[in-house]
Amino acid sequence: MALTQTRDPRGQILDDDASIALIDNPDSTEEIPTLDFGPYLDGRPGGREAVAAHLREITMTVGFFYLKNHGIPQSLIDAVFAESKRFHAIPLEKKAELSFVDTDGFKSGYIGFATEKRKVNVNIVADTKPNIYEQITVQREGAGNINRWPELPGFKETVNEYHRAIEKLARSFLPLWSTSLKLPLDFFDRWFVNPHLQLSLLHYPPQKEVGNRQYGIAPHTDNAMMTFLAQENIPGLAVRMPSGRWRAVDIVPGTLLVNTGNALVRWTNELYLSTKHRVINTSNVDRYSIPVFFGPQDDTVLEVLPPCKSEDQPSLYEPVTYGDLRRWYYNKPKT
């Protein structure tokens, strides 16, 4: 199915210095909300309904939230950060042996500093410079697709354990999304038999220059249904708030930072948000973070859901498969 669209979830591309200065120098004091997952995970009476209602409110207004009581042990999160630092400390020539490959959406391997090509269809600021970060990316393996793993004892096992924990957490959100939209609890399950689950271990060196369209990661929206971000102790992320101004994201111990992406925007006819964000590491030390992107399988047709359209509110988007949306996102032709 070819990708056609009547609207664009990434928003207007900015090319004026005043707007870009707001992104580079965040000054908003608006609150990034916190979602307490405990009442739902613990099975408390009314917990699912209450958490789903709060999730709906957050996703309609901000699109980013701190998730507490998520059930993933801090010891496991710490272990994955330790493996990330261990990987990024090995010589560049060894990392380069795991150079990044993309086999029709199965993305795995290493991308070095300032080598990532700018993605035309996700740019928010025009003419940005190449991003200043390095990463190794792994996917949910299966159907003959195998990740490119470094020869570091324990690395694969630890990363896979965390990957599985995030998948379990992400799947537990599906009944909440259904509840928030007054759909059957299992409504989304059919599209997540073999979900898209992409984990990246990111390393940002200190960025000496702020401005001049240089970023750790340039302003963008995410394309999956949800992103689960583990942060350590170094800030650098900023997000666009409801006022239109940008806020620096605090580090809140014991939480994951979660945001919604373009897939959910299309499903809900823009009822739910995909919020712009960027990274600039202005500290004097290296920054590490671990995003995991969660979406449906590639053949899922993203069509505006019945509760989100009517005669007075027609569909803003043509139906498209998630695979084609991903190809559009990375400005890749359909294969």
Side-chain angles (χ1 to χ4, degrees):
M1 180 181 297
L3 177 60
T4 59
Q5 57 185 57
T6 55
R7 291 170 67 99
D8 187 343
R10 62 190 161 95
Q12 181 182 5
I13 297 176
L14 301 175
D15 197 18
D16 62 288
D17 291 340
S19 297
I20 295 171
L22 292 177
I23 299 173
D24 295 350
N25 303 281
D27 62 358
S28 171
T29 59
E30 296 159 88
E31 179 186 9
I32 297 175
T34 298
L35 182 69
D36 186 354
F37 220 50
Y40 171 55
L41 280 189
D42 296 345
R44 300 176 206 171
R48 172 173 54 81
E49 292 82 0
V51 174
H54 194 194
L55 178 65
R56 177 184 173 94
E57 176 189 2
I58 290 170
T59 312
M60 290 175 62
T61 55
V62 181
F64 263 84
F65 57 92
Y66 299 105
L67 181 66
K68 72 175 184 179
N69 295 321
H70 46 71
I72 298 180
Q74 186 62 45
S75 58
L76 176 56
I77 297 172
D78 292 343
V80 178
F81 273 111
E83 293 301 328
S84 177
K85 293 174 184 178
R86 190 159 70 113
F87 171 78
H88 287 301
I90 67 177
L92 179 59
E93 59 270 18
K94 296 297 292 183
K95 289 184 281 191
E97 292 175 1
L98 300 171
S99 58
F100 186 81
V101 294
D102 180 352
T103 306
D104 194 26
F106 188 89
K107 304 170 184 291
S108 179
Y110 172 74
I111 296 176
F113 290 117
T115 59
E116 185 188 38
K117 295 180 180 178
R118 286 168 286 177
K119 308 179 188 70
V120 174
N121 285 334
V122 296
N123 281 353
I124 289 169
V125 173
D127 299 322
T128 55
K129 296 180 179 179
N131 294 323
I132 305 177
Y133 73 95
E134 61 174 341
Q135 70 175 41
I136 184 169
T137 290
V138 301
Q139 301 277 353
R140 187 179 191 268
E141 294 184 336
N145 292 314
I146 303 298
N147 289 301
R148 309 203 72 191
W149 295 103
E151 294 181 1
L152 294 173
F155 179 93
K156 176 179 178 180
E157 292 75 13
T158 301
V159 171
N160 272 338
E161 183 181 357
Y162 182 70
H163 213 186
R164 288 191 296 269
I166 291 290
E167 179 173 353
K168 180 181 178 182
L169 173 62
R171 285 182 180 277
S172 72
F173 268 87
L174 297 180
L176 292 177
W177 292 121
S178 296
T179 301
S180 77
L181 295 166
K182 295 182 171 56
L183 294 166
L185 288 185
D186 62 353
F187 182 83
F188 288 99
D189 292 357
R190 73 194 95 168
W191 297 309
F192 290 86
V193 176
N194 295 297
H196 168 223
L197 195 75
Q198 176 178 311
L199 176 151
S200 294
L201 303 178
L202 303 182
H203 168 221
Y204 304 88
Q207 185 172 326
K208 305 303 182 183
E209 175 189 26
V210 176
N212 199 25
R213 308 186 192 222
Q214 178 66 75
Y215 299 94
I217 289 184
H220 65 285
T221 58
D222 289 347
N223 200 49
M225 185 183 194
M226 305 177 70
T227 303
F228 296 83
L229 180 70
Q231 302 184 96
E232 206 174 30
N233 56 357
I234 304 300
L237 179 65
V239 304
R240 186 182 185 275
M241 299 301 290
S243 68
R245 305 189 79 86
W246 288 64
R247 178 188 169 93
V249 174
D250 298 322
I251 306 297
V252 179
T255 68
L256 296 170
L257 189 69
V258 181
N259 64 281
T260 42
N262 298 336
L264 201 57
V265 170
R266 285 179 171 269
W267 256 329
T268 65
N269 215 21
E270 297 190 355
L271 177 69
Y272 292 162
L273 300 177
S274 181
T275 301
K276 303 175 182 70
H277 51 288
R278 60 79 173 153
V279 174
I280 301 175
N281 180 14
T282 58
S283 73
N284 293 319
V285 296
D286 294 333
R287 180 180 188 270
Y288 298 87
S289 68
I290 307 171
V292 182
F293 306 96
F294 176 68
Q297 52 226 25
D298 272 8
D299 62 357
T300 300
V301 177
L302 300 175
E303 185 172 8
V304 173
L305 299 173
C308 303
K309 60 183 176 181
S310 66
E311 289 186 5
D312 296 331
Q313 182 62 46
S315 298
L316 299 172
Y317 297 96
E318 298 281 343
V320 62
T321 66
Y322 182 59
D324 280 345
L325 182 66
R326 290 176 66 195
R327 280 180 278 272
W328 166 83
Y329 183 82
Y330 290 105
N331 196 34
K332 291 184 62 177
K334 184 177 179 180
T335 56

